[in-house]
Amino acid sequence: MRKMINSHPQRLSRGLLGLLPLLLLLLVYLVASDARLAINPLDKLLPGFNDMSSAIYRMALEPDARTGEYLLWTDTLASLTRLLSGIFISALLGLLLGLFCGGLPPVGALLSPLVMLAALIPPLAILPILFICFGLGELSKVMLIVIGVTPFIARDLQQHVQNIPREQVIKAQTLNAHSAQILWRVILPQLLPRLLESVRLSLGSAWLFLIAAEAIASTEGLGYRIFLMRRYLAMDVILPYVAWITLLAFMLEAVLRIYGRRQWPWYYVK
Amino acid sequence: MVTVVKRLLLLATLCFTTLFSPIAPAADKPVFKICWSIYAGWMPWDYAQQTGIVKKWADKYGIDIRFVQVNDYIESVNQYTAGGFDGCTMTNMDALTIPAVGGVDSTALIVGDYSNGNDGILLKGQGDIRSLKGRPINLVELSVSHYLLARALAKNGMSEKDIKVVNTADADLVAAFGTADVNAIVTWNPLLAEAEKQPGSHEIFSSAQIPGEILDLLVVNSATLKKHPELGKALTGAWYETLNTMHGDNPTAVAARTMMGKSSGTDLAGFAERRAATSLLSNPKQPLVFVQSKALLTTMQSVAEFSFKHGLLGNGAPGADAVGIGAPAGVWGNTANIKLRFSDEFVKLAAAGQL
């Protein structure tokens, strides 16, 4: 008998194997949901798939009775706008901090302790301060993402700059390059693919901060809807929303990964 | 290979049995779990449990009652609806929109009190309800605060279209009221009292203007109650004994109220203030009149209509009367789907001194 340690599944069977636990989970849910619905057909905790699909239909394709908006799309638009603007600002700030702190030792000496300290503060702990500083509007939600994500990106990029072989910088100097030229022509191009990676890795926490911010004060958004529906246990809306967030997060990450591989194929060469 | 599979199966069975097997009962007495959360009108339950009044009554009827405090109010209602508890403290609106709509047939065993100023609308600066027009108002959306706002607007010839509701978590409301871009909130005590300390703020509407509409109940699963009427008797007995104990100026009563105040994060004076805004129906004769009145059904109708308009009655609800509400004075809504019942059965016994 072949040892398990040596058997590598083919591409197709690997895909099927990966699907198996998911199907199993789905089955467990179905059985549990059926069991609860058999006792109480109006049970809200584990709604059946027909309940969820009619909830999706209602949220996505029917205008809301009170506001006349298509809720799923308004929520998605609001959340994505907040998430992407937060991520964009963080990426920009993180890149600047990483580049200058990593590339210019005096700047690094000045700023990196601050960045390191900021990275240690759990942003959710200073929420009350945040909304006294930035109000309860859109700004505070974007700021929560920025404060949460920027230090992570900045530290990651700074580390990456310091890992660039010293020889490259010295070589550039022998070719008579000055500091700005070295930053612009030698370090920055090597930093950009890493920035993308770093952004990709921080998307998870960005979503977390977004949902947390929307739970506090808002009038629309994916997190807002989940927290609102939680008030009367409408799991038929909450579960599809969670699935939708997962799908959005997955697609966002896929787009970044594909873009990175196209743009900087050399970075991914092993 | 076969032994491996066998071992795995054995392991899996072990895991499942330990996870899902019910904990063996220590005694043959039936055990009932009731959840409660902190609110002026529900503090007597805490006292009753801590001082052994609950145990005394449970022993009298040969049962075991366990009170569990849940920090997050809405979570306690959800837990009850999911079947984790046999009873729970909640408002009439939440009793209708969460368990009753979710198909859990529930009985309001005790109508403990109604809010008589404990919920209110605060505004910074000059103005009244009419000046809210076009402004954002921060509150816990779809809660009794939202209901209070809707009633206040309706009483002034306005509707929700005239204002903008911003959903804000109750834990953050007070801090939010301190920021510049929030100038109107709707909330309940103790948050209301805390927010009112903000200079320049004043109350423009309170539940004292709609007395008897926001009720605080002890809700018990109807099927459990039917099977074990002794649970209803023990709880009702313990409740009125506690209210009796805390009434008056004798040292025990003062000590009881001090303890309740402390457990809810204030002191004797603070608790007295909150109780003044809560009409505690302390003599069983009072809730009896209240529960038997026609007005109760009118109130529940207005709550049901509000809930339907805001989608709280769920997906397939054809109208506000989708869920039937039963009371001694009659039934409102769908008689074939009565899921929320106001009962005078046990209070009658209490009033007659037969518990």
Side-chain angles (χ1 to χ4, degrees):
Chain A
M1 205 181 106
R2 193 157 63 155
K3 291 191 181 77
M4 209 162 174
I5 206 161
N6 290 324
S7 77
H8 292 279
Q10 299 292 306
R11 197 186 162 88
L12 182 69
S13 55
R14 195 165 59 212
L16 289 177
L17 275 178
L19 222 57
L20 204 64
L22 286 178
L23 288 177
L24 211 66
L25 272 179
L26 213 62
L27 194 73
V28 168
Y29 179 87
L30 269 178
V31 170
S33 159
D34 265 1
R36 281 190 74 97
L37 289 173
I39 299 168
N40 171 13
L42 290 171
D43 181 57
K44 291 178 136 194
L45 196 69
L46 301 176
F49 284 105
N50 49 340
D51 279 339
M52 284 197 253
S53 62
S54 71
I56 299 171
Y57 181 84
R58 194 164 39 92
M59 300 304 281
L61 301 170
E62 282 177 4
D64 181 49
R66 269 203 302 156
T67 54
E69 285 167 343
Y70 295 87
L71 295 179
L72 180 67
W73 308 118
T74 348
D75 289 339
T76 307
L77 184 71
S79 286
L80 282 183
T81 313
R82 288 167 191 150
L83 184 83
L84 293 179
S85 39
I87 280 286
F88 183 76
I89 298 172
S90 313
L92 204 68
L93 280 177
L95 180 64
L96 290 176
L97 280 170
L99 181 65
F100 290 115
C101 291
L104 305 173
V107 179
L110 182 73
L111 290 180
S112 26
L114 183 70
V115 173
M116 206 175 79
L117 208 67
L120 293 176
I121 301 173
L124 291 177
I126 52 164
L127 257 185
I129 304 176
L130 285 188
F131 59 69
I132 286 169
C133 296
F134 303 109
L136 278 175
E138 292 301 296
L139 184 63
S140 64
K141 297 183 188 77
V142 174
M143 281 313 285
L144 182 64
I145 298 176
V146 171
I147 290 175
V149 169
T150 307
F152 169 78
I153 297 180
R155 286 185 73 192
D156 188 49
L157 293 187
Q158 181 182 350
Q159 193 63 51
H160 191 70
V161 174
Q162 282 159 358
N163 286 347
I164 288 175
R166 192 75 198 143
E167 292 84 345
Q168 288 183 17
V169 178
I170 293 168
K171 181 79 178 176
Q173 290 180 58
T174 62
L175 295 170
N176 216 10
H178 54 72
S179 295
Q181 275 174 327
I182 294 174
L183 284 183
W184 183 251
R185 302 290 296 273
V186 179
I187 298 178
L188 187 64
Q190 301 191 55
L191 214 51
L192 287 177
R194 182 72 208 177
L195 174 68
L196 202 78
E197 285 283 283
S198 189
V199 164
R200 208 160 63 77
L201 289 175
S202 59
L203 274 179
S205 27
W207 276 104
L208 173 72
F209 295 132
L210 175 77
I211 305 288
E214 286 182 341
I216 283 165
S218 49
T219 52
E220 77 251 300
L222 296 166
Y224 158 79
R225 192 71 53 197
I226 288 179
F227 278 90
L228 188 65
M229 294 295 166
R230 178 176 164 251
R231 256 207 91 80
Y232 58 105
L233 209 66
M235 296 303 281
D236 55 339
V237 176
I238 295 178
L239 292 179
Y241 258 67
V242 173
W244 175 235
I245 291 176
T246 314
L247 185 69
L248 283 176
F250 177 79
M251 289 194 304
L252 210 58
E253 202 185 291
V255 166
L256 287 183
R257 198 170 46 213
I258 292 167
Y259 176 79
R261 282 181 184 273
R262 291 256 164 94
Q263 195 69 18
W264 303 289
W266 52 263
Y267 180 79
Y268 294 91
V269 174
K270 281 198 177 145
Chain B
M1 194 67 188
V2 178
T3 46
V4 172
V5 172
K6 261 188 185 164
R7 268 186 208 163
L8 277 176
L9 273 177
L10 194 68
L11 193 71
T13 346
L14 258 174
C15 287
F16 265 79
T17 43
T18 40
L19 266 176
F20 296 111
S21 68
I23 298 154
D28 45 6
K29 264 199 259 181
V31 178
F32 301 98
K33 280 167 74 192
I34 313 278
C35 52
W36 71 282
S37 47
I38 286 186
Y39 177 74
W42 294 326
M43 294 321 290
W45 285 121
D46 180 45
Y47 177 80
Q49 179 217 0
Q50 289 202 27
T51 51
I53 298 179
V54 169
K55 190 178 174 340
K56 190 185 106 188
W57 283 88
D59 286 346
K60 182 174 173 183
Y61 288 101
I63 55 174
D64 193 352
I65 302 176
R66 289 180 196 159
F67 270 81
V68 179
Q69 187 193 340
V70 178
N71 268 330
D72 185 339
Y73 162 65
I74 209 70
E75 203 48 58
S76 74
V77 181
N78 286 348
Q79 289 277 336
Y80 162 75
T81 308
F85 290 96
D86 300 298
C88 190
T89 53
M90 65 188 83
T91 68
N92 53 336
M93 187 176 137
D94 294 317
L96 174 68
T97 58
I98 306 170
V101 170
V104 178
D105 193 326
S106 300
T107 301
L109 182 67
I110 289 166
V111 179
D113 66 274
Y114 60 82
S115 174
N116 195 8
N118 238 337
D119 299 73
I121 306 176
L122 291 182
L123 182 70
K124 275 194 263 184
Q126 291 296 308
D128 57 6
I129 297 281
R130 281 167 196 288
S131 59
L132 289 177
K133 206 174 174 80
R135 283 200 195 173
I137 299 166
N138 292 61
L139 50 85
V140 180
E141 223 176 314
L142 308 181
S143 68
V144 285
S145 296
H146 201 161
Y147 174 77
L148 181 77
L149 176 69
R151 292 285 287 129
L153 291 171
K155 279 197 164 210
N156 286 275
M158 293 160 72
S159 80
E160 264 190 67
K161 289 202 175 68
D162 298 319
I163 47 118
K164 195 175 169 211
V165 168
V166 183
N167 184 41
T168 309
D170 47 351
D172 301 304
L173 260 173
V174 178
F177 197 49
T179 66
D181 49 352
V182 173
N183 54 35
I185 61 168
V186 189
T187 187
W188 57 84
N189 266 327
L191 306 173
L192 187 68
E194 198 57 43
E196 228 172 350
K197 290 179 190 157
Q198 182 81 20
S201 72
H202 63 115
E203 197 174 76
I204 53 174
F205 191 87
S206 85
S207 53
Q209 281 155 275
I210 51 162
E213 290 197 27
I214 298 174
L215 311 174
D216 300 308
L217 316 169
L218 177 75
V219 169
V220 178
N221 188 308
S222 300
T224 312
L225 192 63
K226 200 161 179 198
K227 207 171 153 205
H228 297 282
E230 68 270 25
L231 173 66
K233 286 181 187 168
L235 285 171
T236 313
W239 176 252
Y240 290 108
E241 183 184 330
T242 312
L243 292 194
N244 209 18
T245 309
M246 65 187 275
H247 188 71
D249 288 324
N250 56 316
T252 335
V254 173
R257 292 203 300 270
T258 311
M259 188 170 153
M260 289 180 210
K262 258 191 198 144
S263 316
S264 58
T266 175
D267 54 10
L268 183 64
F271 190 65
E273 217 170 275
R274 281 185 214 163
R275 269 193 54 220
T278 319
S279 278
L280 212 55
L281 305 167
S282 47
N283 184 319
K285 292 196 178 83
Q286 294 170 306
L288 200 56
V289 173
F290 192 84
V291 169
Q292 290 172 341
S293 72
K294 222 49 205 146
L296 176 66
L297 283 175
T298 318
T299 297
M300 286 316 293
Q301 176 182 354
S302 123
V303 171
E305 276 160 5
F306 169 85
S307 306
F308 177 67
K309 226 170 72 190
H310 290 81
L312 301 185
L313 297 187
N315 215 337
D321 52 3
V323 177
I325 299 160
V331 174
W332 188 83
N334 186 353
T335 45
N337 186 33
I338 300 179
K339 290 289 185 227
L340 180 60
R341 301 161 199 273
F342 286 88
S343 157
D344 60 355
E345 186 188 342
F346 298 96
V347 189
K348 253 189 203 160
L349 292 177
Q354 289 172 345
L355 283 178

